[in-house]
Amino acid sequence: MSDCCSVNAKTGTAPLVMVCPVNGARSKQVDILTVKSLVRRLPLGMLNTQYYFCDASDCDVVYFALEVEAPMFRREDLVVRVGAKERADPIPVCYCFGFTRKDIENEITETGRSTVADRIKTEVNAGNCACEVRNPSGKCCLGDVTRTANDRPSQKERLTGLAENTKIERRCAGESTHFGEVFDEQQDRCL
């Protein structure tokens, strides 16, 4: 039997985490199936070795191998945008169902919360996801979706914050004309 499809034909094991050779970021293992599914052009005779996913936003490397002779793949080598490395919309967060950061932000702006994670869970439970071949990390996107939603304040939170700032600015404006003063709640006056 050939071992051409094993993860690491030489040792059978590989470290779970390696540092990216370009920027030193801790990078987790990614299945070779993910690499083969998302790299635009795979070289002939590509070494059969463990690959790692670098999710550092300041690094163009997406996949690097345990074996230094194996090819390294950068953002431009992939058929999808890598959400962890993107700065401009559309920034993907769910590769199976096409949700972006902007979709989550818009829903929070319109309704005060995001239902994207719940909608994805429904699809996952129905067996309709393919994260291992669509997501560059090879992992489920629900963690990223939840973090994205939690990083965006709801409309209610934004309005509450604006109201508090306005109330404080009015209090300070009535007491002083000095720019940049802040209201001290304990002393009940502007400082």
Side-chain angles (χ1 to χ4, degrees):
M1 180 177 149
S2 169
D3 61 358
C4 69
C5 296
S6 65
V7 171
N8 187 344
K10 291 183 180 178
T11 66
T13 62
L16 294 176
V17 175
M18 293 279 291
V19 295
C20 174
V22 173
N23 75 344
R26 289 175 43 93
S27 304
K28 294 181 181 177
Q29 285 185 355
V30 66
D31 196 286
I32 193 70
L33 176 63
T34 306
V35 176
K36 288 180 177 181
S37 297
L38 296 176
V39 171
R40 195 176 314 278
R41 290 191 181 130
L42 293 169
L44 292 174
M46 189 169 115
L47 287 178
N48 182 31
T49 187
Q50 178 63 59
Y51 270 84
Y52 294 84
F53 172 68
C54 175
D55 67 353
S57 61
D58 63 342
C59 183
D60 275 344
V61 171
V62 178
Y63 299 125
F64 64 92
L66 179 63
E67 305 292 332
V68 292
E69 309 85 45
M72 184 181 303
F73 301 106
R74 298 178 181 275
R75 289 172 51 189
E76 63 269 10
D77 297 323
L78 272 64
V79 296
V80 296
R81 291 169 55 99
V82 181
K85 297 179 178 288
E86 298 299 332
R87 295 281 181 244
D89 289 327
I91 300 172
V93 288
C94 174
Y95 294 84
C96 294
F97 308 111
F99 291 109
T100 65
R101 286 187 191 169
K102 195 72 171 165
D103 294 330
I104 293 169
E105 290 171 0
N106 289 343
E107 186 176 31
I108 290 171
T109 299
E110 292 169 14
T111 69
R113 64 181 295 268
S114 174
T115 61
V116 170
D118 293 334
R119 291 157 53 194
I120 293 170
K121 285 177 193 172
T122 300
E123 293 298 325
V124 168
N125 289 335
N128 296 330
C129 71
C131 301
E132 66 279 359
V133 294
R134 291 186 177 168
N135 187 336
S137 73
K139 307 278 188 264
C140 178
C141 68
L142 281 172
D144 292 333
V145 168
T146 302
R147 270 188 297 283
T148 299
N150 289 341
D151 286 348
R152 306 294 186 255
S154 71
Q155 185 174 6
K156 183 177 179 181
E157 289 170 332
R158 282 194 304 274
L159 292 175
T160 301
L162 286 174
E164 284 300 312
N165 289 341
T166 302
K167 182 170 58 175
I168 290 168
E169 287 170 12
R170 282 188 193 137
R171 283 176 160 167
C172 291
E175 292 182 21
S176 174
T177 58
H178 294 92
F179 179 74
E181 290 188 328
V182 294
F183 186 77
D184 185 321
E185 292 283 338
Q186 291 178 336
Q187 295 182 25
D188 195 34
R189 68 183 185 95
C190 292
L191 302 174

